[in-house]
Amino acid sequence: MRFSVVAAVLLSVATGLCVPGAGRLPTAAADPAPGARIVAENRLSPTRSALLVDSPAMGRAVPVEVLHPRAGGARPTYYLLDGLDPGEQQSTWTNATDAEPFFADKSVNVVLPIGGQASYYTDWQADDPKFGHYRWETFLTRELPPLIDAAFDGNGVDAIGGLSMGGIAAFVLAVRNPGRYRAVAGYSACPDLGMAQGSIEFSIANRGGNPADMWGLPGDPAWAAHDPALLAENLRGTTIFLSTGTGIPGPHEAEVKPQLPENIFFGGPIEAGVDACVTSFEQRLRGLGIPARIEENPVGTHSWSYWQDTLHSSWPTIGPAIGV
């Protein structure tokens, strides 16, 4: 089952998009690239800090938010990725959800990269005229973790998750770096690139980028080398959480919010497409005998209120997997 043309187009234009077993890929190097360092830190509250991280891979300083406990002590880290149109000054997770108070009493660091519009948090093959030099996989898997562990008492135990585009990326990073993460979560995310490729390409082009600069043209082996469905065997032993709604309006559509019409007319069809993809991916995992927690809600559109809900409901799965 694949997205309809209408669902694919809607999936691409909405804010906060998600969009045979192959051999195991080599794990990314554990040591950071030379020169990666935190160049600025601003304590925004007792449980939230803003960092500026000089990244040789990205060729610039990358802003990052970190949610952390008030007290010290060794703790794991949850890397939580944003959607297609992330904030450039603040993570949408802290801007649109209760992520900060939710994690405030938990012994975990939550790392929120800022920026990366339509990046899919991956290393692009070529610099893009619109987006420039994207090397997000190297930044997130090699450069950033040792810095976070050193600055925020990280114990080296990590999980990764994200919504929509960020959820796709979380699964891509997990399968390309087997063993790197104890758990992976996707909130309204489609980890099957065979189903999502057209929407991914359109979403990049719709934001002014060249989709071929990411993983090449359709048929390029790089697409298969990033496909969680094809590389699902690499998730064996990893705790997996995926959530989806059906696209049917639910309780949050009864709330008076500025984005309400968009939630119903765009977020509904998008979430219906995601639901089909999650079902397909679940079948792929089941066929391999890989367990996963799949939360299929009977209602819900592709919108932040539902991602806040599923962030909460995912924690009993993600937290224990990393020792919280």
Side-chain angles (χ1 to χ4, degrees):
M1 183 176 182
R2 293 182 179 271
F3 290 137
S4 69
V5 173
V6 172
V9 172
L10 290 174
L11 180 63
S12 316
V13 298
T15 299
L17 168 81
C18 70
V19 236
R24 292 173 70 86
L25 295 170
T27 303
D31 294 330
R37 61 195 181 99
I38 297 172
V39 295
E41 179 178 349
N42 182 21
R43 186 63 62 92
L44 303 175
S45 79
T47 57
R48 179 162 66 104
S49 295
L51 309 180
L52 202 57
V53 180
D54 185 36
S55 164
M58 297 281 278
R60 63 180 177 87
V62 181
V64 176
E65 283 188 271
V66 182
L67 306 180
H68 49 78
R70 289 177 172 83
R75 50 188 178 261
T77 302
Y78 187 28
Y79 290 83
L80 193 54
L81 307 179
D82 216 322
L84 182 67
D85 293 305
E88 294 298 324
Q89 304 297 323
Q90 180 181 355
S91 169
T92 319
W93 280 108
T94 56
N95 187 40
T97 77
D98 67 351
E100 182 177 0
F102 176 71
F103 285 109
D105 63 348
K106 297 171 177 59
S107 183
V108 63
N109 297 320
V110 181
V111 176
L112 308 164
I114 295 174
Q117 184 186 41
S119 67
Y120 290 87
Y121 296 104
T122 191
D123 286 0
W124 285 37
Q125 292 183 349
D127 291 352
D128 187 77
K130 169 67 183 294
F131 300 125
H133 191 71
Y134 272 167
R135 297 294 185 273
W136 281 99
E137 179 174 349
T138 300
F139 175 68
L140 291 170
T141 63
R142 293 185 58 196
E143 294 182 334
L144 190 57
L147 301 177
I148 294 296
D149 287 350
F152 294 92
D153 298 325
N155 63 8
V157 175
D158 297 337
I160 191 166
L163 71 106
S164 199
M165 176 192 85
I168 294 174
F171 276 83
V172 170
L173 294 176
V175 297
R176 285 178 58 80
N177 300 273
R180 179 73 186 78
Y181 303 103
R182 296 278 183 89
V184 58
Y187 311 104
S188 297
C190 176
D192 185 336
L193 300 191
M195 296 182 71
Q197 182 171 349
S199 298
I200 289 172
E201 291 177 313
F202 188 90
S203 71
I204 294 170
N206 183 255
R207 268 68 182 178
N210 181 357
D213 287 336
M214 188 170 76
W215 295 327
L217 296 169
D220 190 302
W223 282 88
H226 290 82
D227 192 339
L230 297 180
L231 301 173
E233 180 62 39
N234 288 354
L235 293 173
R236 191 175 299 279
T238 303
T239 297
I240 299 169
F241 177 91
L242 266 174
S243 64
T244 177
T246 58
I248 298 172
H252 291 304
E253 275 65 51
E255 300 168 0
V256 178
K257 293 185 176 181
Q259 70 271 28
L260 182 60
E262 180 180 281
N263 288 358
I264 295 174
F265 295 109
F266 291 106
I270 291 170
E271 198 70 4
V274 172
D275 188 35
C277 180
V278 168
T279 298
S280 175
F281 193 73
E282 179 183 15
Q283 292 171 350
R284 169 68 172 151
L285 294 175
R286 187 180 298 136
L288 293 172
I290 297 175
R293 164 81 189 284
I294 310 294
E295 184 177 292
E296 295 180 284
N297 297 300
V299 298
T301 60
H302 203 73
S303 54
W304 278 100
S305 295
Y306 293 102
W307 297 326
Q308 174 172 292
D309 290 347
T310 51
L311 178 67
H312 288 213
S313 63
S314 71
W315 192 243
T317 300
I318 303 301
I322 56 176
V324 179

